[in-house]
Structure formats: structure tokens, C-alpha cells
Amino acid sequence: MSVGAVTSAPLFPTSDTSPPVPTFSAVDYVVFALLLVLSLAIGLYHACRGWGQHTVGQLQMADRKMDCLPVALSLLATFQSAVAILGVPAEIYRFGTQYWFLGCCYFLGLLIPAHIFIPIFYRLHLTSAYEYLELRFNKAVRICGTVTFIFQMVIYMGVVLYAPSLALNAVTGLDLWLSVLTLGIVCNIYTALGGLKAVIWTDVFQTLVMFLGQLAVIIVGSAKLGGLGQVWHTASQHGLISGLELDPDPFVRHTFWTLAFGGLFMMLSLYGVNQAQVQRYLSSRTEKAAVLSCYAVFPCQQLVLCISCLIGLVMFAYYQKFPMSTQQSQAAPDQFVLYFVMDLLRGLPGLPGLFVACLFSGSLSTISSAFNSLATVTMEDLIRPWFSDLSEARATMLCRMLAFGYGLLCLGMAYISSQMGPLLQAAISIFGMIGGPLLGLFCLGMFFPCANPPGAIVGLLAGLAMAFWIGVGSTVTSTGSSGAPSPPNSSSFSLPNNLTAIGLTTLVPSVTHSKPTGLQRLYSLSYLWYSAHNSTTVIVVGLIVSLLTGGMRGRTLDPRTLYPVWPRLLALLPRACQKRLHYKSHSQEPSFCAPQDLSADTMFPEKAGNGILRVDGSKEEVPEQGSAQQASSPTFILQETSL
């Protein structure tokens, strides 16, 4: 089955009799309430433990003493939102298993952050990822990055809170604003009082709840249908098991290349440079623990993707055997899973409540991460640089107030989302549009020594302009055509580069009657290529502007902020080629780039103790950089490296 081509969603048998709207039993309410109570209890425990002795470091970074496993589960929970829990099974239900190939991008999407981004961030001893931008460029670039991130998160916070509550209200009859307020207030309390440690440990608990809720659906569903083998057979008979779609066209919504390589950039923007994830890496006890936590996410992500796909297949097989009602067949795609769960688990008290708890666990983990990361970047990037004389007690109180304030803002954004109507599509897409340019900005700094501050700022603005042009243009053209379906790859409801990247892809229409041309052709670019396209725009424009403005000539450059791409590539070649290329690079070095040592350890001198290890194994002693002046104004260490 070719996904993303000119096809329509399969038709399913329907029944004229509409069952009553499912309602919760008393046991379901108890199970759901237990989720909220236990989440709040975990947060309050960490808030009350050592009350009065908390520091900003404890609130923001958990004292940098977290172990590998809780960090890994927290990383996973941040990615797995309620929107993803609803979205992925509906994608499989409607279009087949092609989406499963997104898992091919997970390996490199986590390996690259583990060996490039984490070492640089960890060794710089950062709190905010955007501190890196000041060390590499200047304060103006740091502020631009921070403001961009805050805008990204604030837009999305209300949507991730309101959208699942709206779907739940339509299917179960739970009061919409009661669930929104309950979720927002509980999350606000434990995040503001307990800090990052409370967020991480509640994420661990919520991850377990998410697994239990999804497994309950698979077990009960497959038991009613005669086993997973029968489910697979039914799906295969109806063409739902997709093969490799090797079409390289980037305008086709889902192909192997789009999912594997477009998804790679999506993963890098999420696990490489997103503050919510970087903050968890930096809270690890050691750099090795941070890298191991990134490795541990890989099998967990594969498991989560497989579970979500299985739910979609079970749902398909279930409705082949038990016709859905007319009300269900006319529901929005994001309500398919909830209708199915309420049908499947009816008569099993407690299990519907468990799945709703699973759904809200996804929302809690995503929102708490947003609160904490927003409070951290606001404190470290926008307040501390101007008020450096803040006492520890005042800074701690201000940090809590910021987290609480962003929580209230989230509730306000949820209300605005309810009033936006069709513009809600644009609000969701905005989050994805910003992840790519931020990834491009960090890559520009790490991999290109000649990139300078003017190039970074202009490149970021160009990337954002390109992202909004294509993203908003796609939304406007798809919603502006009355009665006509959107282009098949429209991103109006897609969410590529963010904390819940795979969530709303199912809401993209898949039917088209005419191939788009001109600008509409550009607007139909697959949403999974957004991150790659926008980050490349930042890098290309940033390099051009840097070259035109003299590169890094006359500017200091901290070698710890660069990733030594050239030395790593050189080390893979025979020694004769290493010598030839080494001397050629020194003799033809462009004047606009600051000289850089070819030794990888020069970039991270702390690895060599009090000296610098060269490629040939020799060691040169250098003065320790212990003074504040040296730390604040790092420069290149110039040396000749003998290969």
C-alpha cells in the first residue's frame, strides 16, 4: 500500500444504531484520580524534602545528580504526549504501517546527540542550551535563540493541554474545562515547587502508566479477536501492511526516505538542541550517564512505536469484525482511538480509566517539561545576565514564580486555543516550524568555525521566514479552498520538530484530485522535510553572510564550542593521506576563518588533564584555565600538530 499517494482512507462497515456516549464508572474515576494524586504526591515529596534549603541548581538541574534510567524515561515521556498516543494508532488505522519506518531514524537521531551535542553541552557546564550561543557567538545571538524558543513553547503549551481534553469531552462526556483546569493546576503545583527532580520522577511514574494503558488495549483487543496473529492476518488481507515506498519525491507525504531521513532532522531538533531534553542530559551525574540515558531511549522509542502501531492494527481488525456506529465513522481522526477504547473496554471497570490516565500522563509529562524549561531559560538567559547580584533565596523564589507564571499562561493559551477555530491548525504548525531553524543555528556554530554573529542572526531570521512562509502558506491554501481537500502532504496539522513530533500527522488529509503546481507545489512539501529544509536554510544563509562580513577575523573563538569534524574524518584515512591533507589544509587555510588545531582534544582540553593530547599521542602541557578572566574570554590555543 503506497502511503501518501493519491489514495483515500479505507471504508469500514458501519452500523445504523448509535450506542450511547460512553461514560465513566466510579472505578474509572478512582483510577483516573489516582494518577493525579500520585503525580502530585511525588512532586510535593521532592518539594518538601529539604524545604528552605533548596537552591536554583536543585530546581533547574536537580543538583546534576540524576542517574541514567530516570533521565532516559523522562526523555521518553517528554516525547510521548497525549497527542501522539491518539495520533499514531489513527495514522496506522487509516493509511497502513508505512509510518512504522519512522523508527529507522531513531538510531542516528539518538547516536548523533549522544556523541556530538551532549559532550559539548556537558563539558561547557551549561544550564540553558542557549548559553552555548553566547559562548560561540555573542549575547545577541543567545537572546534571539531564547526568545525563539519561548515563543515556540508558549504557542504550543495551550494546544497540548486543550486538544486532548476536547477529544475526551466529545467521547466520554468528561467536563472539558474541569479536566483542563485540573490538569493544569496539578502540573503547575508539582513543577513550580519540586523543580526538575520532581518533573523527572513524575515522568518516570507517568511513563509506566502510559505503557500499562496501551498494553491493556492491545491485550484485551487481541484476546477478543483471536490473538495478534489473527489481527495481523486481517490487516494483511486488507492491504494495511505496507512495504517499502522508495519514492524519493520530497512532496510525497510518507515514503521510506521521508520517514528515515526527514525524520532524522526531526529527531535531532528534538533530542539534540531542545532545552527540555538538553536540561535532562545536563542533570545527569556524569557525562557517561547522560550518554547512556540517550542510548537507553532508543529501545524504548522502538517499543513505544511498535505498541502504537499495534493499537492501530487491533483497532482496524476490531472494526472489521464489529461495525462502528455512524457517530464513530463521522468522528474526527483524533477521536478514533478514544471511541475504540471506550467500545473495547466497556464492561471492564477500571480499564477505561486506566487509558484516560495514560492519555493524561502524556499531557502532564509534556506540559511539566515545558514549564520547567521555560522557567530555566527565562531565569538564566533573560534575568541573571542583568541582575547578577540576586541572592540565592531570591533567585530560588523567582524561579518558582516563573514556573508558576508559565503555568497560568498555559491555561490562558488553552482558552485562546478554544477560540481560534481553524487557526488552531496554524498554531500547532508554528511549533514545528521553529525547531528546524534552531537546529540549524546550533549546527552553524558547532560545525563551521568561520560562522560569525551577524551570520548566525541573519541565518536564523532567514530560516524562520522560510519556515513560516511554507508552513503558513500550506495552511492558508489548504483551508482557503472551500470543500476541496488539502494537498496530500500538507502540514496544516503536522507537528514535526517538537516534543510530540509524531502526534498530529494523522490529521492531515490524504485525498487529492489534482497535482499542485507553482507555489502550491512548494507548499505541499512533506512536513517531515520541514526541519531539514529550514535548518539547511539557516546554515547556507549564515555561511554566506559570515563570509561577506569577514568571518571570525578579529574575534575570539572558544575551541570547546566546536565539534572537530575535520580531525575525525582525517583519522579514518591512511597516515599518508592524513599528512598530505594536513599540510594542504594549513597552506591553503582561508583568511576569514580563525586557525584551528586539528587535534580533537584541543576542542575539549579538559580530557587531556593539564595538557593537550595530539593525534600522534604526544602531550603538551598548557596553563590551567582557572581564572574567571580566562573562563569568560577563551581564545584559540594555537599549536602545530605533527601527524
Side-chain angles (χ1 to χ4, degrees):
M1 178 178 177
S2 177
V3 178
V6 183
T7 59
S8 60
L11 298 176
F12 302 96
T14 60
S15 170
D16 293 332
T17 59
S18 298
V21 176
T23 57
F24 266 18
S25 67
V27 179
D28 294 321
Y29 278 111
V30 169
V31 172
F32 177 57
L34 276 176
L35 164 74
L36 300 177
V37 170
L38 290 176
S39 296
L40 188 59
I42 294 172
L44 291 179
Y45 168 77
H46 289 286
C48 297
R49 190 179 179 186
W51 183 265
Q53 301 176 357
H54 289 169
T55 63
V56 174
Q58 288 176 321
L59 291 178
Q60 295 178 345
M61 306 303 297
D63 270 345
R64 302 182 191 265
K65 294 181 179 178
M66 296 302 300
D67 293 320
C68 167
L69 185 59
V71 170
L73 292 177
S74 182
L75 288 168
L76 179 68
T78 301
F79 184 84
Q80 184 75 352
S81 79
V83 182
I85 294 171
L86 293 175
V88 178
E91 167 73 24
I92 303 300
Y93 170 87
R94 298 176 70 204
F95 306 121
T97 58
Q98 184 76 30
Y99 190 81
W100 181 84
F101 291 107
L102 182 71
C104 297
C105 76
Y106 287 171
F107 181 70
L108 283 178
L110 293 166
L111 189 68
I112 293 173
H115 290 278
I116 296 180
F117 295 105
I118 292 178
I120 291 179
F121 290 148
Y122 200 93
R123 294 168 192 176
L124 289 173
H125 204 70
L126 305 179
T127 298
S128 164
Y130 305 100
E131 291 180 63
Y132 167 84
L133 297 177
E134 182 175 358
L135 292 172
R136 174 60 180 87
F137 297 110
N138 59 20
K139 190 181 292 292
V141 180
R142 176 181 180 178
I143 292 175
C144 286
T146 300
V147 171
T148 303
F149 173 75
I150 291 175
F151 176 71
Q152 176 191 33
M153 295 301 296
V154 165
I155 288 292
Y156 183 63
M157 278 195 309
V159 176
V160 80
L161 178 59
Y162 175 74
S165 298
L166 180 63
L168 196 67
N169 169 259
V171 174
T172 67
L174 282 177
D175 185 76
L176 171 64
W177 289 107
L178 179 61
S179 61
V180 168
L181 288 173
T182 303
L183 199 61
I185 291 172
V186 168
C187 189
N188 207 350
I189 291 173
Y190 76 74
T191 304
L193 297 180
L196 184 61
K197 184 176 289 188
V199 170
I200 289 177
W201 282 110
T202 50
D203 282 351
V204 171
F205 167 67
Q206 290 154 10
T207 302
L208 297 177
V209 173
M210 283 189 276
F211 274 119
L212 287 175
Q214 291 177 300
L215 285 175
V217 173
I218 293 175
I219 292 170
V220 174
S222 59
K224 286 188 176 182
L225 295 169
L228 285 177
Q230 184 61 40
V231 170
W232 187 269
H233 178 70
T234 302
S236 181
Q237 275 189 326
H238 290 81
L240 213 66
I241 308 302
S242 306
L244 281 176
E245 174 60 65
L246 297 176
D247 187 351
D249 187 356
F251 298 98
V252 177
R253 179 173 172 255
H254 283 169
T255 67
F256 172 79
W257 305 113
T258 296
L259 291 163
F261 291 98
L264 172 61
F265 285 87
M266 174 193 76
M267 290 291 291
L268 290 179
S269 67
L270 175 64
Y271 280 100
V273 300
N274 189 283
Q275 170 65 22
Q277 309 294 56
V278 169
Q279 199 167 333
R280 281 154 177 72
Y281 299 142
L282 300 178
S283 70
S284 299
R285 194 180 299 273
T286 62
E287 181 184 326
K288 183 179 179 181
V291 172
L292 286 176
S293 68
C294 198
Y295 280 164
V297 173
F298 174 69
C300 295
Q301 285 283 23
Q302 294 289 357
L303 180 61
V304 164
L305 182 60
C306 289
I307 288 175
S308 297
C309 291
L310 278 177
I311 291 176
L313 294 179
V314 170
M315 180 165 59
F316 182 91
Y318 181 86
Y319 283 125
Q320 292 300 315
K321 187 174 182 180
F322 306 102
M324 64 172 60
S325 67
T326 305
Q327 179 187 10
Q328 291 170 322
S329 64
Q330 295 174 351
D334 57 330
Q335 295 176 353
F336 283 175
V337 177
L338 278 170
Y339 271 118
F340 164 65
V341 169
M342 293 302 146
D343 267 356
L344 179 69
L345 302 180
R346 183 185 291 124
L348 298 172
L351 289 185
L354 178 62
F355 186 80
V356 171
C358 156
L359 194 66
F360 274 73
S361 290
S363 289
L364 281 169
S365 60
T366 302
I367 297 169
S368 62
S369 301
F371 292 171
N372 190 257
S373 59
L374 282 168
T376 299
V377 298
T378 303
M379 185 70 184
E380 295 299 320
D381 298 333
L382 301 181
I383 295 178
R384 273 195 185 276
W386 306 105
F387 301 96
S388 56
D389 57 343
L390 274 176
S391 67
E392 190 67 26
R394 287 190 175 184
T396 302
M397 181 58 67
L398 183 57
C399 197
R400 284 197 171 104
M401 291 173 62
L402 284 170
F404 193 78
Y406 277 117
L408 296 178
L409 183 60
C410 174
L411 293 174
M413 286 302 301
Y415 177 75
I416 293 174
S417 298
S418 70
Q419 304 298 315
M420 290 177 71
L423 293 181
L424 180 61
Q425 300 177 22
I428 295 174
S429 294
I430 285 172
F431 192 102
M433 297 172 198
I434 297 174
L438 285 176
L439 173 64
L441 182 62
F442 280 91
C443 290
L444 183 68
M446 289 183 184
F447 303 133
F448 301 95
C450 56
N452 62 14
I457 293 176
V458 175
L460 176 62
L461 294 177
L464 289 172
M466 181 66 70
F468 277 84
W469 175 34
I470 296 180
V472 175
S474 173
T475 301
V476 170
T477 54
S478 62
T479 57
S481 54
S482 57
S486 311
N489 313 306
S490 166
S491 59
S492 59
F493 260 108
S494 62
L495 197 57
N497 314 314
N498 50 50
L499 305 179
T500 54
I502 59 176
L504 292 176
T505 61
T506 65
L507 302 180
V508 184
S510 67
V511 184
T512 183
H513 299 287
S514 60
K515 191 173 183 179
T517 58
L519 281 180
Q520 281 199 340
R521 175 72 169 163
L522 181 62
Y523 295 152
S524 67
L525 179 70
S526 173
Y527 68 94
L528 283 167
W529 285 112
Y530 269 26
S531 184
H533 179 266
N534 299 331
S535 57
T536 302
T537 299
V538 173
I539 292 172
V540 171
V541 173
L543 286 176
I544 292 174
V545 173
S546 295
L547 298 183
L548 293 177
T549 54
M552 289 300 294
R553 184 189 298 137
R555 294 182 171 92
T556 59
L557 184 58
D558 186 343
R560 299 172 302 163
T561 61
L562 296 172
Y563 181 79
V565 178
W566 178 247
R568 298 290 168 87
L569 293 177
L570 200 64
L572 300 176
L573 300 175
R575 293 183 68 85
C577 294
Q578 290 181 13
K579 284 185 178 182
R580 193 174 299 111
L581 291 173
H582 167 65
Y583 291 128
K584 185 177 180 181
S585 66
H586 271 275
S587 62
Q588 298 181 1
E589 185 176 17
S591 60
F592 54 78
C593 287
Q596 61 174 321
D597 175 32
L598 289 180
S599 170
D601 291 298
T602 306
M603 303 301 179
F604 308 118
E606 61 272 25
K607 287 188 70 177
N610 293 330
I612 297 174
L613 287 176
R614 294 185 176 137
V615 175
D616 62 1
S618 62
K619 181 176 178 179
E620 177 183 348
E621 297 296 324
V622 296
E624 292 190 16
Q625 299 182 10
S627 67
Q629 183 178 1
Q630 286 173 316
S632 61
S633 302
T635 57
F636 261 118
I637 302 171
L638 301 181
Q639 59 177 338
E640 294 183 2
T641 305
S642 174
L643 295 176

